[in-house]
Amino acid sequence: MHHFNYISGILHAENVDINTIIKAVGTPVYIYSSATIERHFKIFANAVGVPKNRVFYATKANANLGVLTTLARLGAGADVVSEGEIRKAQAAGIDPNNMVFSGVGKTARELAYAVSVGIYQINVESEGELELLSEIAASSGKRQDIVLRVNPDVGAGGHAKITTGSSANKFGVSFSEAERLYAKASNLAGVRCIGLAVHIGSQITELDALESAFVKMRSVVESLRSQGLHVERLDLGGGLGIPYEQQAPFAHGPDLIEAYAAMVMRVTDGLDVELGFEPGRLIVGNAGILVTEALYLNKRGNKNFLVVDAAMNDLVRPAMYEAYHEIWPVIEPVNATCHAYDVVGPVCESGDTFTSDRNLPEIAKGDLIALMSAGAYGATMSSTYNQRPLIAEVMVKGDQFVITRPRQTYEELIGTDVAPIWV
Ligand SMILES: *Cc1c(COP(=O)(O)O)cnc(C)c1O
């Protein structure tokens, strides 16, 4: 469910005509709907029992300040994976005391920063990190709350590159090591080990794998307690998927959230822990679109290559994960003839293809089209590859819109490089 619809034959973001935004900002541009973000966050938070439990929005899905401030105002916490994300979330008004810090490669500097700002929880992913963090915190006279991220050896997700919970993945401490490390952590001076975390993958639309991972986590909690160790938090990660295809056979959206919450409550029933959740894609995925202009239509044999002004550096998901994005023309097609198109960007890579042989209503040079469901892992994964400036991001609320990130200028693009002195 999202707030991008045709009104009088023109695609709107909430009540704003997409053409109005394009006239002001140009293409390509990401456009976000605040009503969609609010709706998803509220449904999720309500389903999982906030405020008894906590929701930490996974900042890496979309770190635009417009998105973060919208969520901050709703009381969302943040799941962060770098010092940059901590600082960005702080800039959006999220209190570090409402942040959890995940990631396999936290540096000493990042850990020190997190401890110094009083982060709510650090999700420790290895023995080396545990030792380093304890030293850092103890040396500044602090005792940092941590949970141990466990790899349950249950992988899941929409693509191999977004599976994180299998033992072949780099994330978390192995299931067999968890209890030894937990006991060790409980004896370190600089940390207070108070729980466990798990996150097995992304774009998960079937709950079986999540359930088996959570059942395993419950057994670890019970086993730790039977050894007299203290466990008060269980962070269940993110990973819930969204419908990238409206006509997809599986029914999810609110239904998936309700089923997920019911499963979680069943599996953790009577466990007496504070539950944490780290949804990213679920909150912002359908809340953003990427609008691009058709530059050329090149017919090659029986192929129609539609060259657009957005590229894989702006939205890498199709190239990286073979991801599917619906394509909606900004002007609503009425009884249009359909053709098979390869929609491609200008970047010098064959992988710079948004879709191949997609049946779409006829598109002409100069037409605007929207790549739908581009709100998660779109702008945050963008780069300046081919020296293409980062594109603008716009936030819509009702009948208003604001540019929440201006298009990068060529001066900004070139300005930070320095020629070596000997030249
Ligand atoms: C990426 C990530 C998330 C968010 O994943 P989604 O699939 O976007 O919900 C949550 N927790 C951790 C530790 C992550 O790395």
Side-chain angles (χ1 to χ4, degrees):
M1 174 45 202
H2 57 68
H3 290 80
F4 298 96
N5 293 298
Y6 290 105
I7 302 176
S8 311
I10 297 167
L11 186 61
H12 282 61
E14 301 187 22
N15 298 323
V16 181
D17 182 333
I18 297 298
N19 292 304
T20 310
I21 297 174
I22 302 306
K23 277 196 195 99
V25 191
T27 55
V29 59
Y30 277 105
I31 300 173
Y32 308 127
S33 151
S34 57
T36 310
I37 294 170
E38 287 187 19
R39 177 172 190 275
H40 291 166
F41 181 80
K42 283 181 182 162
I43 290 176
F44 187 83
N46 191 44
V48 298
V50 169
K52 186 174 166 286
N53 298 317
R54 292 198 179 214
V55 179
F56 306 96
Y57 163 68
T59 307
K60 75 177 190 287
N62 188 323
N64 185 266
L65 219 51
V67 170
L68 293 179
T69 50
T70 301
L71 287 163
R73 213 160 295 146
L74 298 172
D79 166 44
V80 294
V81 293
S82 68
E83 182 175 336
E85 284 193 354
I86 299 174
R87 289 177 181 270
K88 196 111 186 245
Q90 283 181 288
I94 300 177
D95 190 327
N97 191 32
N98 204 4
M99 292 185 199
V100 297
F101 188 12
S102 311
V104 292
K106 306 179 193 80
T107 65
R109 182 206 147 113
E110 289 179 311
L111 291 170
Y113 182 74
V115 171
S116 75
V117 297
I119 210 145
Y120 181 66
Q121 165 181 308
I122 295 183
N123 295 9
V124 171
E125 304 213 13
S126 66
E127 187 162 12
E129 182 190 343
L130 177 63
E131 290 166 354
L132 178 62
L133 172 60
S134 179
E135 258 170 54
I136 289 170
S139 73
S140 55
K142 296 203 171 169
R143 202 149 184 220
Q144 173 64 49
D145 283 349
I146 67 161
V147 300
L148 206 55
R149 175 165 176 189
V150 177
N151 184 320
D153 198 12
V154 178
H159 189 272
K161 285 184 183 150
I162 53 175
T163 298
T164 57
S166 132
S167 58
N169 301 131
K170 67 182 177 183
F171 302 95
V173 305
S174 67
F175 195 73
S176 59
E177 286 273 89
E179 297 191 19
R180 178 182 70 79
L181 287 175
Y182 200 97
K184 172 172 175 169
S186 301
N187 288 315
L188 292 177
V191 297
R192 204 168 73 93
C193 192
I194 53 174
L196 299 170
V198 65
H199 172 75
I200 63 169
S202 196
Q203 186 52 21
I204 300 169
T205 52
E206 277 159 24
L207 298 175
D208 304 10
L210 284 169
E211 178 160 358
S212 32
F214 296 169
V215 166
K216 278 186 153 184
M217 297 303 288
R218 179 182 181 122
S219 73
V220 183
V221 172
E222 284 168 340
S223 166
L224 290 169
R225 282 181 174 161
S226 73
Q227 297 162 53
L229 294 161
H230 174 73
V231 186
E232 65 182 59
R233 292 185 196 163
L234 183 55
D235 180 338
L236 297 177
L240 276 191
I242 59 162
Y244 280 95
E245 297 181 56
Q246 305 287 320
Q247 270 75 35
F250 41 84
H252 45 210
D255 297 349
L256 180 69
I257 297 174
E258 292 307 327
Y260 170 83
M263 178 274 283
V264 166
M265 298 314 149
R266 186 171 70 244
V267 172
T268 60
D269 186 40
L271 201 56
D272 191 25
V273 285
E274 175 188 284
L275 298 174
F277 300 90
E278 305 168 346
R281 187 191 310 273
L282 182 79
I283 307 297
V284 292
N286 288 339
I289 63 174
L290 172 59
V291 180
T292 180
E293 182 184 331
L295 299 177
Y296 301 102
L297 180 61
N298 299 336
K299 292 187 195 271
R300 191 93 43 79
N302 54 2
K303 282 273 196 195
N304 292 314
F305 288 101
L306 186 73
V307 186
V308 297
D309 66 356
M312 65 187 287
N313 69 298
D314 306 309
L315 176 65
V316 78
R317 298 188 65 258
M320 187 151 162
Y321 310 121
E322 285 112 32
Y324 180 98
H325 289 272
E326 286 198 351
I327 294 176
W328 293 15
V330 167
I331 304 296
E332 187 173 20
V334 182
N335 304 323
T337 340
C338 286
H339 302 286
Y341 291 97
D342 281 30
V343 180
V344 301
V347 158
C348 310
E349 300 255 0
S350 298
D352 185 19
T353 297
F354 290 120
T355 186
S356 294
D357 289 319
R358 177 88 60 91
N359 225 28
L360 294 169
E362 191 156 280
I363 301 167
K365 190 169 141 59
D367 285 357
L368 297 172
I369 58 174
L371 291 150
M372 305 302 289
S373 306
Y377 307 104
T380 40
M381 292 182 82
S382 62
S383 76
T384 58
Y385 186 41
N386 280 212
Q387 299 312 303
R388 292 165 49 85
L390 295 176
I391 68 175
E393 291 172 75
V394 164
M395 186 87 179
V396 171
K397 184 177 177 65
D399 54 10
Q400 314 170 58
F401 74 91
V402 171
I403 301 170
T404 52
R405 187 174 74 186
R407 190 176 306 283
Q408 191 179 31
T409 65
Y410 286 106
E411 288 71 28
E412 288 163 347
L413 178 75
I414 299 162
T416 49
D417 281 25
V418 178
I421 194 127
W422 58 83
V423 171

PDB file of all heavy atoms in Angstrom, residues 368-384:
ATOM      1  N   LEU A 368       8.067  10.760 -19.217  1.00  0.00           N
ATOM      2  CA  LEU A 368       8.559  10.477 -17.872  1.00  0.00           C
ATOM      3  C   LEU A 368       7.996   9.134 -17.421  1.00  0.00           C
ATOM      4  O   LEU A 368       6.809   8.851 -17.621  1.00  0.00           O
ATOM      5  CB  LEU A 368       8.091  11.560 -16.888  1.00  0.00           C
ATOM      6  CG  LEU A 368       8.599  12.977 -17.152  1.00  0.00           C
ATOM      7  CD1 LEU A 368       7.902  13.967 -16.214  1.00  0.00           C
ATOM      8  CD2 LEU A 368      10.116  13.056 -16.981  1.00  0.00           C
ATOM      9  N   ILE A 369       8.859   8.322 -16.808  1.00  0.00           N
ATOM     10  CA  ILE A 369       8.380   7.068 -16.228  1.00  0.00           C
ATOM     11  C   ILE A 369       8.893   6.967 -14.795  1.00  0.00           C
ATOM     12  O   ILE A 369       9.913   7.559 -14.445  1.00  0.00           O
ATOM     13  CB  ILE A 369       8.825   5.827 -17.047  1.00  0.00           C
ATOM     14  CG1 ILE A 369      10.351   5.760 -17.157  1.00  0.00           C
ATOM     15  CG2 ILE A 369       8.178   5.833 -18.424  1.00  0.00           C
ATOM     16  CD1 ILE A 369      10.845   4.476 -17.819  1.00  0.00           C
ATOM     17  N   ALA A 370       8.137   6.216 -14.007  1.00  0.00           N
ATOM     18  CA  ALA A 370       8.521   6.041 -12.592  1.00  0.00           C
ATOM     19  C   ALA A 370       8.895   4.590 -12.348  1.00  0.00           C
ATOM     20  O   ALA A 370       8.149   3.672 -12.710  1.00  0.00           O
ATOM     21  CB  ALA A 370       7.368   6.445 -11.687  1.00  0.00           C
ATOM     22  N   LEU A 371      10.076   4.380 -11.748  1.00  0.00           N
ATOM     23  CA  LEU A 371      10.431   3.059 -11.233  1.00  0.00           C
ATOM     24  C   LEU A 371       9.855   3.012  -9.830  1.00  0.00           C
ATOM     25  O   LEU A 371      10.256   3.781  -8.948  1.00  0.00           O
ATOM     26  CB  LEU A 371      11.957   2.889 -11.221  1.00  0.00           C
ATOM     27  CG  LEU A 371      12.563   2.796 -12.626  1.00  0.00           C
ATOM     28  CD1 LEU A 371      13.975   3.332 -12.669  1.00  0.00           C
ATOM     29  CD2 LEU A 371      12.528   1.353 -13.102  1.00  0.00           C
ATOM     30  N   MET A 372       8.895   2.118  -9.623  1.00  0.00           N
ATOM     31  CA  MET A 372       8.143   2.090  -8.371  1.00  0.00           C
ATOM     32  C   MET A 372       8.918   1.337  -7.289  1.00  0.00           C
ATOM     33  O   MET A 372       9.852   0.586  -7.570  1.00  0.00           O
ATOM     34  CB  MET A 372       6.779   1.431  -8.596  1.00  0.00           C
ATOM     35  CG  MET A 372       5.956   2.077  -9.711  1.00  0.00           C
ATOM     36  SD  MET A 372       5.642   3.847  -9.456  1.00  0.00           S
ATOM     37  CE  MET A 372       4.477   3.773  -8.088  1.00  0.00           C
ATOM     38  N   SER A 373       8.488   1.523  -6.051  1.00  0.00           N
ATOM     39  CA  SER A 373       9.075   0.792  -4.901  1.00  0.00           C
ATOM     40  C   SER A 373      10.587   0.945  -4.850  1.00  0.00           C
ATOM     41  O   SER A 373      11.320  -0.028  -4.663  1.00  0.00           O
ATOM     42  CB  SER A 373       8.716  -0.703  -4.969  1.00  0.00           C
ATOM     43  OG  SER A 373       7.331  -0.843  -5.073  1.00  0.00           O
ATOM     44  N   ALA A 374      11.047   2.168  -5.006  1.00  0.00           N
ATOM     45  CA  ALA A 374      12.486   2.435  -5.026  1.00  0.00           C
ATOM     46  C   ALA A 374      12.936   3.160  -3.755  1.00  0.00           C
ATOM     47  O   ALA A 374      14.022   3.726  -3.706  1.00  0.00           O
ATOM     48  CB  ALA A 374      12.851   3.253  -6.261  1.00  0.00           C
ATOM     49  N   GLY A 375      12.089   3.096  -2.714  1.00  0.00           N
ATOM     50  CA  GLY A 375      12.393   3.855  -1.497  1.00  0.00           C
ATOM     51  C   GLY A 375      13.459   3.230  -0.620  1.00  0.00           C
ATOM     52  O   GLY A 375      14.087   3.910   0.189  1.00  0.00           O
ATOM     53  N   ALA A 376      13.653   1.912  -0.746  1.00  0.00           N
ATOM     54  CA  ALA A 376      14.649   1.235   0.105  1.00  0.00           C
ATOM     55  C   ALA A 376      15.829   0.782  -0.744  1.00  0.00           C
ATOM     56  O   ALA A 376      15.640   0.225  -1.825  1.00  0.00           O
ATOM     57  CB  ALA A 376      14.021   0.016   0.799  1.00  0.00           C
ATOM     58  N   TYR A 377      17.026   0.982  -0.221  1.00  0.00           N
ATOM     59  CA  TYR A 377      18.250   0.568  -0.902  1.00  0.00           C
ATOM     60  C   TYR A 377      18.330   1.152  -2.315  1.00  0.00           C
ATOM     61  O   TYR A 377      18.835   0.523  -3.239  1.00  0.00           O
ATOM     62  CB  TYR A 377      18.373  -0.971  -0.897  1.00  0.00           C
ATOM     63  CG  TYR A 377      18.254  -1.521   0.510  1.00  0.00           C
ATOM     64  CD1 TYR A 377      17.081  -2.143   0.953  1.00  0.00           C
ATOM     65  CD2 TYR A 377      19.280  -1.339   1.425  1.00  0.00           C
ATOM     66  CE1 TYR A 377      16.960  -2.593   2.259  1.00  0.00           C
ATOM     67  CE2 TYR A 377      19.158  -1.788   2.731  1.00  0.00           C
ATOM     68  CZ  TYR A 377      18.000  -2.415   3.139  1.00  0.00           C
ATOM     69  OH  TYR A 377      17.879  -2.847   4.435  1.00  0.00           O
ATOM     70  N   GLY A 378      17.797   2.340  -2.483  1.00  0.00           N
ATOM     71  CA  GLY A 378      17.897   3.081  -3.740  1.00  0.00           C
ATOM     72  C   GLY A 378      18.949   4.161  -3.574  1.00  0.00           C
ATOM     73  O   GLY A 378      20.142   3.938  -3.807  1.00  0.00           O
ATOM     74  N   ALA A 379      18.485   5.320  -3.102  1.00  0.00           N
ATOM     75  CA  ALA A 379      19.407   6.455  -2.936  1.00  0.00           C
ATOM     76  C   ALA A 379      20.591   6.120  -2.041  1.00  0.00           C
ATOM     77  O   ALA A 379      21.720   6.557  -2.296  1.00  0.00           O
ATOM     78  CB  ALA A 379      18.645   7.656  -2.372  1.00  0.00           C
ATOM     79  N   THR A 380      20.355   5.316  -0.985  1.00  0.00           N
ATOM     80  CA  THR A 380      21.470   5.026  -0.068  1.00  0.00           C
ATOM     81  C   THR A 380      22.569   4.217  -0.732  1.00  0.00           C
ATOM     82  O   THR A 380      23.701   4.248  -0.276  1.00  0.00           O
ATOM     83  CB  THR A 380      21.032   4.205   1.177  1.00  0.00           C
ATOM     84  OG1 THR A 380      20.103   3.225   0.787  1.00  0.00           O
ATOM     85  CG2 THR A 380      20.485   5.078   2.268  1.00  0.00           C
ATOM     86  N   MET A 381      22.238   3.471  -1.764  1.00  0.00           N
ATOM     87  CA  MET A 381      23.269   2.663  -2.420  1.00  0.00           C
ATOM     88  C   MET A 381      23.818   3.354  -3.659  1.00  0.00           C
ATOM     89  O   MET A 381      24.594   2.763  -4.415  1.00  0.00           O
ATOM     90  CB  MET A 381      22.697   1.286  -2.800  1.00  0.00           C
ATOM     91  CG  MET A 381      22.373   0.424  -1.601  1.00  0.00           C
ATOM     92  SD  MET A 381      21.755  -1.210  -2.042  1.00  0.00           S
ATOM     93  CE  MET A 381      23.287  -2.075  -2.365  1.00  0.00           C
ATOM     94  N   SER A 382      23.431   4.604  -3.891  1.00  0.00           N
ATOM     95  CA  SER A 382      23.836   5.263  -5.129  1.00  0.00           C
ATOM     96  C   SER A 382      25.287   5.715  -5.058  1.00  0.00           C
ATOM     97  O   SER A 382      25.879   5.846  -3.991  1.00  0.00           O
ATOM     98  CB  SER A 382      22.897   6.425  -5.436  1.00  0.00           C
ATOM     99  OG  SER A 382      22.960   7.397  -4.421  1.00  0.00           O
ATOM    100  N   SER A 383      25.862   5.937  -6.219  1.00  0.00           N
ATOM    101  CA  SER A 383      27.265   6.351  -6.315  1.00  0.00           C
ATOM    102  C   SER A 383      27.386   7.375  -7.443  1.00  0.00           C
ATOM    103  O   SER A 383      26.403   7.692  -8.110  1.00  0.00           O
ATOM    104  CB  SER A 383      28.148   5.148  -6.628  1.00  0.00           C
ATOM    105  OG  SER A 383      28.015   4.789  -7.991  1.00  0.00           O
ATOM    106  N   THR A 384      28.592   7.853  -7.640  1.00  0.00           N
ATOM    107  CA  THR A 384      28.814   8.803  -8.739  1.00  0.00           C
ATOM    108  C   THR A 384      29.532   8.125  -9.897  1.00  0.00           C
ATOM    109  O   THR A 384      30.194   8.789 -10.692  1.00  0.00           O
ATOM    110  CB  THR A 384      29.636  10.013  -8.258  1.00  0.00           C
ATOM    111  OG1 THR A 384      30.881   9.531  -7.722  1.00  0.00           O
ATOM    112  CG2 THR A 384      28.902  10.804  -7.191  1.00  0.00           C
TER     113      THR A 384
END
